[in-house]
Amino acid sequence: MLQRSVFFLSDRTGITAETLGHSLLTQFDGIEWKKHYASFLDSAAKVQEIIDRINTIAKQEGQPSLVFSTLLDPVILASVRQADCYLIDFFESCLGVLETALQQSPVRIPGRSHILGQDASYFRRIAAIQYALNSDDGSNSKILADADVILVGVSRSGKTPVCVYLALQYGVLAANYPFTPEDMGVVRLPSLLQPLREKLFGLTLSTSRLQAVRVERYPGSHYASFVECQRELQWQNELYQQFNIPFIDTTGVSIEEISASIINRMRLERRLYGT
Amino acid sequence: MLQRSVFFLSDRTGITAETLGHSLLTQFDGIEWKKHYASFLDSAAKVQEIIDRINTIAKQEGQPSLVFSTLLDPVILASVRQADCYLIDFFESCLGVLETALQQSPVRIPGRSHILGQDASYFRRIAAIQYALNSDDGSNSKILADADVILVGVSRSGKTPVCVYLALQYGVLAANYPFTPEDMGVVRLPSLLQPLREKLFGLTLSTSRLQAVRVERYPGSHYASFVECQRELQWQNELYQQFNIPFIDTTGVSIEEISASIINRMRLERRLYGT
């Protein structure tokens, strides 16, 4: 497979540069990316060090590397531009249109993307994360009543990571109710959930995927057997259908994608960035 | 304050469009943004609906809205281009340079940014989140020994959200040890932490900030009093100094920024995206 070196340069966290670069790279197949991260580039010495590395690697590989940048300092940018690379300068590519649209110059101050918002937003986010952790066993009806959304599904269907992501990314209060074998006599909603039907969102996944995840945790157990996984999923999926619970099959779907789908389909309000 | 409407359009999750758009908007001061989100735009009907909204709002506000897009479908893009808006097309702005650099055409397939990576990466991330939750009380020496990094700090110094973010964003195993009043007789490392000194990273914050967070939780308690917060922080900061524990003052710093600093200063390896 072809190999190419890629650099992610930033004055600050590098999160924006990495998000952009990663998105773009997925659009090119058949190349193995060797990734180099350089965040908090806030001194001439650090910048020179990274430029030397870019040039050295270009020489070794016989071709210029790709460089994704969210650098804002014009002096630093000018020196990076001299390096042996293809520069994808995020701010340069996009600020022009905005300047025209807003008839206003950008402030060009680094580190604003992930600056702390208003206090309300900060507390909201911390509270949402704490909520996701506290509600992780799903057994407290008072906690469940506060939820913006309650993720349901059998054990190891991936509810917890999605709850945590919903809290972090969107500030949403996401609770988590795991169906247990005790719930699975007849196909009916566990009593705790009955008054909360509109908040429920189901996760499901393929039997073999569920089994793989459970085997990872308790190899050789009945809990991780194919037949038990199949039985639980069958009960669960009948429940979703019978009670019209919206659900998503998470097999092969990332946490981000599952979370964004839930926000979208449950029409949940985002609670961060004053939105 | 000036108001402007902003749209975030995407074929899929919208996370890339939102992250990049948010970064750009922070570079313009004095404007209040009215944000409209439209993700999973995968049908002609949905696209027409959003174009109508863009045009209606432009008419109401007497000026075109801003539109951030990570749409890839050329037909959909062409119709958005006809709307009354300033379009910031992230892929269009950047794919050109990449095409030249790589001498290869992009595949233009939506939804690849947050696609599920290899199984190893998926399990790693889930395991890291689970680890952050399991290690949240910091009392288990076996769990602590597995950590890539152990965040230390007084109660409510913000360790948990950072651990969770480190897990989600970087796949790093981040544990969490809260200093308790019992630790605070003399200035010495709690015995659990003594063999793990190289993994420690400290959080600190201003007394008034800590007090605000504690009051939010237990108003009127001794725990939330200014004098108690001051006493604990003083002990903690002496400890950081005496044992050369790297630390960050998180007052007014976002979870992303704290996390990226830790990755950077502890030289932690990213464990996602095969990096």
Short mmCIF file of all heavy atoms in Angstrom, two decimals, chain B residues 181-211:
data_model
loop_
_atom_site.label_atom_id
_atom_site.label_comp_id
_atom_site.label_asym_id
_atom_site.label_seq_id
_atom_site.Cartn_x
_atom_site.Cartn_y
_atom_site.Cartn_z
N PRO B 181 -9.64 14.52 52.24
CA PRO B 181 -9.08 15.14 53.45
C PRO B 181 -8.17 14.18 54.22
O PRO B 181 -7.20 14.61 54.83
CB PRO B 181 -10.33 15.53 54.24
CG PRO B 181 -11.36 15.79 53.20
CD PRO B 181 -11.08 14.79 52.12
N GLU B 182 -8.46 12.87 54.15
CA GLU B 182 -7.61 11.91 54.86
C GLU B 182 -6.19 11.87 54.30
O GLU B 182 -5.23 11.51 54.99
CB GLU B 182 -8.18 10.48 54.79
CG GLU B 182 -9.52 10.31 55.49
CD GLU B 182 -10.68 10.73 54.61
OE1 GLU B 182 -10.95 10.03 53.63
OE2 GLU B 182 -11.31 11.78 54.89
N ASP B 183 -6.05 12.19 53.00
CA ASP B 183 -4.71 12.20 52.40
C ASP B 183 -3.88 13.39 52.90
O ASP B 183 -2.67 13.43 52.69
CB ASP B 183 -4.82 12.34 50.86
CG ASP B 183 -5.37 11.07 50.20
OD1 ASP B 183 -5.07 9.97 50.71
OD2 ASP B 183 -6.08 11.19 49.19
N MET B 184 -4.56 14.37 53.53
CA MET B 184 -3.95 15.69 53.65
C MET B 184 -3.30 16.00 54.99
O MET B 184 -3.24 17.16 55.39
CB MET B 184 -4.99 16.76 53.32
CG MET B 184 -5.48 16.63 51.90
SD MET B 184 -6.70 17.86 51.48
CE MET B 184 -7.26 17.23 49.89
N GLY B 185 -2.82 14.98 55.71
CA GLY B 185 -2.10 15.27 56.94
C GLY B 185 -0.82 16.03 56.62
O GLY B 185 -0.76 17.25 56.70
N VAL B 186 0.19 15.29 56.23
CA VAL B 186 1.43 15.93 55.79
C VAL B 186 1.44 15.95 54.27
O VAL B 186 0.61 15.33 53.62
CB VAL B 186 2.66 15.14 56.30
CG1 VAL B 186 2.82 15.36 57.80
CG2 VAL B 186 2.52 13.67 55.97
N VAL B 187 2.42 16.67 53.72
CA VAL B 187 2.51 16.73 52.26
C VAL B 187 3.29 15.51 51.77
O VAL B 187 4.51 15.53 51.65
CB VAL B 187 3.18 18.04 51.80
CG1 VAL B 187 3.33 18.04 50.28
CG2 VAL B 187 2.34 19.24 52.24
N ARG B 188 2.57 14.42 51.53
CA ARG B 188 3.22 13.26 50.92
C ARG B 188 2.24 12.56 49.99
O ARG B 188 1.02 12.71 50.12
CB ARG B 188 3.77 12.31 51.98
CG ARG B 188 2.72 11.69 52.86
CD ARG B 188 3.35 10.76 53.90
NE ARG B 188 2.35 9.79 54.36
CZ ARG B 188 2.22 8.55 53.89
NH1 ARG B 188 3.03 8.08 52.98
NH2 ARG B 188 1.27 7.75 54.35
N LEU B 189 2.78 11.79 49.07
CA LEU B 189 1.92 11.10 48.11
C LEU B 189 1.13 10.01 48.81
O LEU B 189 1.70 9.23 49.57
CB LEU B 189 2.77 10.44 47.03
CG LEU B 189 3.13 11.25 45.80
CD1 LEU B 189 3.92 10.37 44.83
CD2 LEU B 189 1.89 11.79 45.10
N PRO B 190 -0.17 9.92 48.55
CA PRO B 190 -0.95 8.79 49.05
C PRO B 190 -0.25 7.49 48.63
O PRO B 190 0.28 7.41 47.51
CB PRO B 190 -2.29 8.95 48.35
CG PRO B 190 -2.40 10.42 48.07
CD PRO B 190 -1.00 10.88 47.82
N SER B 191 -0.26 6.48 49.52
CA SER B 191 0.58 5.31 49.27
C SER B 191 0.23 4.59 47.97
O SER B 191 1.11 4.08 47.28
CB SER B 191 0.49 4.35 50.46
OG SER B 191 -0.86 4.07 50.72
N LEU B 192 -1.07 4.58 47.62
CA LEU B 192 -1.48 3.95 46.35
C LEU B 192 -0.74 4.54 45.15
O LEU B 192 -0.50 3.86 44.16
CB LEU B 192 -2.98 4.21 46.12
CG LEU B 192 -3.97 3.08 46.39
CD1 LEU B 192 -5.38 3.57 46.11
CD2 LEU B 192 -3.65 1.87 45.53
N LEU B 193 -0.43 5.83 45.25
CA LEU B 193 0.15 6.52 44.09
C LEU B 193 1.67 6.44 44.04
O LEU B 193 2.28 6.74 43.01
CB LEU B 193 -0.28 7.99 44.09
CG LEU B 193 -1.79 8.27 44.01
CD1 LEU B 193 -2.05 9.77 44.01
CD2 LEU B 193 -2.39 7.62 42.77
N GLN B 194 2.26 6.04 45.16
CA GLN B 194 3.72 6.11 45.22
C GLN B 194 4.43 5.34 44.11
O GLN B 194 5.37 5.85 43.51
CB GLN B 194 4.21 5.72 46.61
CG GLN B 194 3.97 6.86 47.61
CD GLN B 194 4.24 6.47 49.04
OE1 GLN B 194 4.86 5.44 49.31
NE2 GLN B 194 3.76 7.27 49.98
N PRO B 195 3.98 4.11 43.79
CA PRO B 195 4.67 3.40 42.71
C PRO B 195 4.33 3.91 41.31
O PRO B 195 4.85 3.40 40.32
CB PRO B 195 4.20 1.95 42.87
CG PRO B 195 2.94 2.01 43.64
CD PRO B 195 2.94 3.28 44.43
N LEU B 196 3.42 4.88 41.21
CA LEU B 196 2.89 5.28 39.90
C LEU B 196 3.21 6.73 39.57
O LEU B 196 2.53 7.36 38.76
CB LEU B 196 1.36 5.08 39.90
CG LEU B 196 0.89 3.66 40.21
CD1 LEU B 196 -0.59 3.64 40.57
CD2 LEU B 196 1.16 2.74 39.03
N ARG B 197 4.26 7.24 40.19
CA ARG B 197 4.55 8.67 40.11
C ARG B 197 4.65 9.21 38.69
O ARG B 197 4.21 10.32 38.41
CB ARG B 197 5.86 8.97 40.84
CG ARG B 197 5.67 9.89 42.00
CD ARG B 197 6.94 10.05 42.77
NE ARG B 197 7.69 11.22 42.35
CZ ARG B 197 8.76 11.66 43.00
NH1 ARG B 197 9.20 11.00 44.06
NH2 ARG B 197 9.40 12.73 42.59
N GLU B 198 5.22 8.43 37.78
CA GLU B 198 5.43 8.96 36.42
C GLU B 198 4.12 9.11 35.65
O GLU B 198 4.09 9.74 34.60
CB GLU B 198 6.35 8.05 35.60
CG GLU B 198 7.78 8.03 36.07
CD GLU B 198 7.92 7.16 37.29
OE1 GLU B 198 7.46 6.00 37.23
OE2 GLU B 198 8.44 7.64 38.33
N LYS B 199 3.07 8.46 36.15
CA LYS B 199 1.80 8.54 35.43
C LYS B 199 0.92 9.68 35.91
O LYS B 199 -0.15 9.92 35.34
CB LYS B 199 1.03 7.24 35.62
CG LYS B 199 1.70 6.03 35.02
CD LYS B 199 0.79 4.81 35.13
CE LYS B 199 1.44 3.61 34.46
NZ LYS B 199 0.51 2.47 34.39
N LEU B 200 1.35 10.37 36.96
CA LEU B 200 0.45 11.35 37.57
C LEU B 200 0.43 12.67 36.80
O LEU B 200 1.46 13.17 36.36
CB LEU B 200 0.87 11.63 39.02
CG LEU B 200 0.98 10.42 39.94
CD1 LEU B 200 1.31 10.88 41.36
CD2 LEU B 200 -0.30 9.60 39.93
N PHE B 201 -0.77 13.20 36.65
CA PHE B 201 -0.93 14.55 36.11
C PHE B 201 -1.96 15.26 36.98
O PHE B 201 -3.05 14.73 37.22
CB PHE B 201 -1.39 14.49 34.65
CG PHE B 201 -1.31 15.84 33.98
CD1 PHE B 201 -0.21 16.18 33.20
CD2 PHE B 201 -2.32 16.78 34.14
CE1 PHE B 201 -0.12 17.43 32.60
CE2 PHE B 201 -2.24 18.03 33.55
CZ PHE B 201 -1.13 18.36 32.77
N GLY B 202 -1.61 16.44 37.45
CA GLY B 202 -2.47 17.13 38.41
C GLY B 202 -3.39 18.16 37.77
O GLY B 202 -3.04 18.80 36.79
N LEU B 203 -4.57 18.27 38.33
CA LEU B 203 -5.46 19.37 37.97
C LEU B 203 -5.54 20.32 39.15
O LEU B 203 -5.56 19.90 40.30
CB LEU B 203 -6.86 18.86 37.63
CG LEU B 203 -7.00 17.86 36.48
CD1 LEU B 203 -8.47 17.61 36.17
CD2 LEU B 203 -6.26 18.31 35.24
N THR B 204 -5.57 21.60 38.86
CA THR B 204 -5.86 22.56 39.92
C THR B 204 -6.81 23.60 39.36
O THR B 204 -7.09 23.61 38.16
CB THR B 204 -4.58 23.19 40.51
OG1 THR B 204 -4.93 23.91 41.69
CG2 THR B 204 -3.91 24.13 39.52
N LEU B 205 -7.33 24.44 40.23
CA LEU B 205 -8.22 25.51 39.79
C LEU B 205 -8.27 26.57 40.87
O LEU B 205 -7.74 26.36 41.97
CB LEU B 205 -9.61 24.97 39.44
CG LEU B 205 -10.54 24.44 40.52
CD1 LEU B 205 -11.89 24.05 39.92
CD2 LEU B 205 -9.98 23.25 41.25
N SER B 206 -8.86 27.70 40.57
CA SER B 206 -8.88 28.77 41.56
C SER B 206 -9.83 28.40 42.70
O SER B 206 -10.78 27.64 42.51
CB SER B 206 -9.34 30.08 40.92
OG SER B 206 -10.73 30.01 40.66
N THR B 207 -9.55 28.95 43.88
CA THR B 207 -10.39 28.64 45.04
C THR B 207 -11.84 29.02 44.78
O THR B 207 -12.76 28.26 45.09
CB THR B 207 -9.88 29.41 46.28
OG1 THR B 207 -8.48 29.20 46.39
CG2 THR B 207 -10.56 28.91 47.54
N SER B 208 -12.05 30.18 44.16
CA SER B 208 -13.44 30.61 43.99
C SER B 208 -14.16 29.73 42.97
O SER B 208 -15.35 29.45 43.11
CB SER B 208 -13.50 32.09 43.58
OG SER B 208 -12.73 32.28 42.42
N ARG B 209 -13.42 29.26 41.97
CA ARG B 209 -14.03 28.36 40.99
C ARG B 209 -14.41 27.03 41.65
O ARG B 209 -15.50 26.51 41.45
CB ARG B 209 -13.04 28.11 39.85
CG ARG B 209 -13.56 27.22 38.76
CD ARG B 209 -14.41 28.00 37.80
NE ARG B 209 -15.18 27.13 36.94
CZ ARG B 209 -16.12 27.55 36.11
NH1 ARG B 209 -16.42 28.83 36.05
NH2 ARG B 209 -16.77 26.71 35.36
N LEU B 210 -13.47 26.48 42.43
CA LEU B 210 -13.75 25.22 43.12
C LEU B 210 -14.95 25.38 44.03
O LEU B 210 -15.85 24.52 44.06
CB LEU B 210 -12.52 24.78 43.93
CG LEU B 210 -12.70 23.49 44.75
CD1 LEU B 210 -13.01 22.29 43.86
CD2 LEU B 210 -11.45 23.20 45.60
N GLN B 211 -14.98 26.50 44.73
CA GLN B 211 -16.10 26.72 45.64
C GLN B 211 -17.42 26.77 44.87
O GLN B 211 -18.41 26.16 45.27
CB GLN B 211 -15.89 28.02 46.42
CG GLN B 211 -16.80 28.08 47.63
CD GLN B 211 -16.89 29.46 48.24
OE1 GLN B 211 -16.39 30.44 47.69
NE2 GLN B 211 -17.55 29.54 49.38
#
